[in-house]
């Protein structure tokens, strides 16, 4: 009886050891899968950034009369540069309607009605803008917003909008940074957060079109040259 109990105890110990080994194997397999997914995602993001640079994509930024996806907003400043940093367009633009004194966007970009009095209207510059953007790859921080602003500003003037492909630098950087939310999506990072990391110190966002374009160009080059943060291994 004593020998049987010892044997039974040893069997239980072996079963526990086997279960522990199975658990460790599953953990190792999960880790390997995550590493493979991470490497694949890293290469995809870096390749996209490098492709945009190789294609001489345009970098675009706007300042507008409203915040968020306001359907009444218009562009009051637009800048476009190429990946060499050449300025292709940079101008204040007088909107159809003046901004109210309590307009919250003024506190962000500091562009007031009196600054815009002698600026060209969209109808004065739309052909030049269209000529630059037509059939081009375009990169912008919060790309969906900037594309919507361009499209609805053209629409307000009854003018045809050029066709171009927009790439969102915010989505690109947020995936590179890899801060996952509870829904397993990448949390969006503000431009000031991205540039503070890239420049190695606090970056005070200009909230003006041209310097923000130049910052996005630096961000694109950074993502193209650097591996993603090792979010699974910290």
């Amino acid at each position: 009886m004593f020998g049987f109990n010892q044997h039974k105890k040893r069997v239980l110990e072996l079963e526990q050891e086997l279960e522990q080994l199975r658990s460790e194997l599953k953990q190792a397999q999960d880790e390997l899968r995550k590493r493979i997914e991470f490497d694949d995602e890293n290469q995809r993001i870096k390749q996209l950034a490098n492709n945009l640079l190789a294609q001489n994509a345009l970098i675009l930024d706007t300042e507008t009369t409203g915040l968020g996806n306001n359907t009444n907003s218009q562009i009051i400043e637009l800048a476009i540069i190429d990946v060499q940093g050449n300025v292709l367009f940079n101008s204040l633009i007088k909107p159809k309607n003046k901004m109210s004194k309590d307009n919250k966007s003024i506190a962000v970009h500091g562009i007031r009605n009196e600054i815009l009095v002698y600026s060209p209207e969209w109808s004065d510059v739309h052909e030049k803008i269209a000529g630059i953007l037509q059939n081009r790859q375009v990169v912008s921080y919060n790309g969906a917003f900037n594309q919507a602003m361009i499209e609805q500003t053209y629409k307000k003037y009854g003018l045809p909008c050029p066709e171009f492909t927009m790439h969102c630098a915010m989505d690109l950087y947020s995936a590179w940074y890899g801060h996952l939310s509870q829904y397993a999506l990448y949390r969006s990072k503000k431009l000031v957060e991205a540039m503070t990391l890239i420049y190695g110190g606090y970056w005070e966002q200009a909230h003006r079109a041209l310097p923000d374009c130049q910052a996005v160009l630096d961000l694109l080059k950074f993502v193209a040259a650097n591996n993603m943060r090792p979010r699974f291994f910290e």
Side-chain angles (χ1 to χ4, degrees):
M1 180 66 70
F2 179 77
F4 175 78
N5 287 336
Q6 285 289 91
H7 179 70
K8 184 177 180 181
K9 180 180 179 182
R10 181 58 182 155
V11 168
L12 290 174
E13 289 174 347
L14 289 172
E15 287 178 345
Q16 290 174 351
E17 290 176 7
L18 179 60
E19 186 62 31
Q20 178 65 28
L21 288 171
R22 285 173 176 164
S23 176
E24 291 175 358
L25 176 61
K26 184 179 184 303
Q27 185 177 356
Q29 289 173 331
D30 289 344
E31 184 75 4
L32 178 60
R33 176 181 56 79
K34 288 178 179 179
R35 286 178 181 270
I36 292 171
E37 291 176 354
F38 176 85
D39 288 341
D40 288 346
E41 182 75 346
N42 178 50
Q43 291 305 313
R44 184 189 70 81
I45 291 172
K46 288 182 69 175
Q47 190 61 54
L48 175 56
N50 277 288
N51 286 346
L52 290 169
L53 291 169
Q55 294 167 6
N56 194 26
L58 304 177
I59 317 293
L60 177 150
D61 192 65
T62 69
E63 301 300 338
T64 64
T65 60
L67 303 175
N69 295 320
N70 186 333
T71 56
N72 293 317
S73 293
Q74 295 180 54
I75 293 172
I76 56 174
E77 186 175 48
L78 175 68
I80 306 170
I81 65 175
D82 63 20
V83 296
Q84 283 78 42
N86 299 311
V87 179
L88 307 181
F89 185 89
N90 180 35
S91 179
L92 292 167
I93 299 170
K94 183 180 178 181
K96 275 193 169 185
N97 302 310
K98 289 184 177 182
M99 293 178 285
S100 62
K101 292 182 178 179
D102 60 349
N103 189 309
K104 293 181 180 179
S105 65
I106 296 175
V108 175
H109 50 57
I111 303 172
R112 301 182 177 277
N113 292 315
E114 52 268 28
I115 300 175
L116 300 168
V117 172
Y118 299 109
S119 299
E121 296 185 5
W122 191 261
S123 55
D124 300 319
V125 297
H126 77 95
E127 288 185 348
K128 183 174 182 180
I129 295 169
I132 296 170
L133 295 180
Q134 186 66 37
N135 297 326
R136 294 296 298 271
Q137 304 293 313
V138 180
V139 183
S140 183
Y141 216 81
N142 198 355
F145 170 78
N146 284 312
Q147 181 166 2
M149 291 302 102
I150 291 171
E151 290 174 351
Q152 73 184 37
T153 302
Y154 268 103
K155 186 176 181 179
K156 284 181 182 296
Y157 282 85
L159 297 166
C161 184
E163 295 184 3
F164 57 92
T165 302
M166 178 66 79
H167 300 271
C168 183
M170 180 169 65
D171 290 346
L172 189 69
Y173 178 77
S174 296
W176 181 92
Y177 191 87
H179 189 176
L180 297 175
S181 72
Q182 60 180 322
Y183 306 107
L185 300 173
Y186 299 121
R187 294 185 184 179
S188 296
K189 294 293 181 181
K190 295 180 179 179
L191 184 57
V192 65
E193 295 178 89
M195 302 318 298
T196 295
L197 184 147
I198 290 169
Y199 290 153
Y202 181 73
W203 177 73
E204 186 174 356
Q205 186 172 359
H207 283 297
R208 294 296 298 266
L210 184 57
D212 285 358
C213 278
Q214 293 162 337
V216 170
L217 175 56
D218 286 344
L219 181 150
L220 187 63
K221 291 178 178 178
F222 179 87
V223 171
N226 292 274
N227 290 329
M228 292 165 57
R229 292 173 69 253
R231 56 181 174 270
F232 299 119
F233 322 128
E234 294 179 343

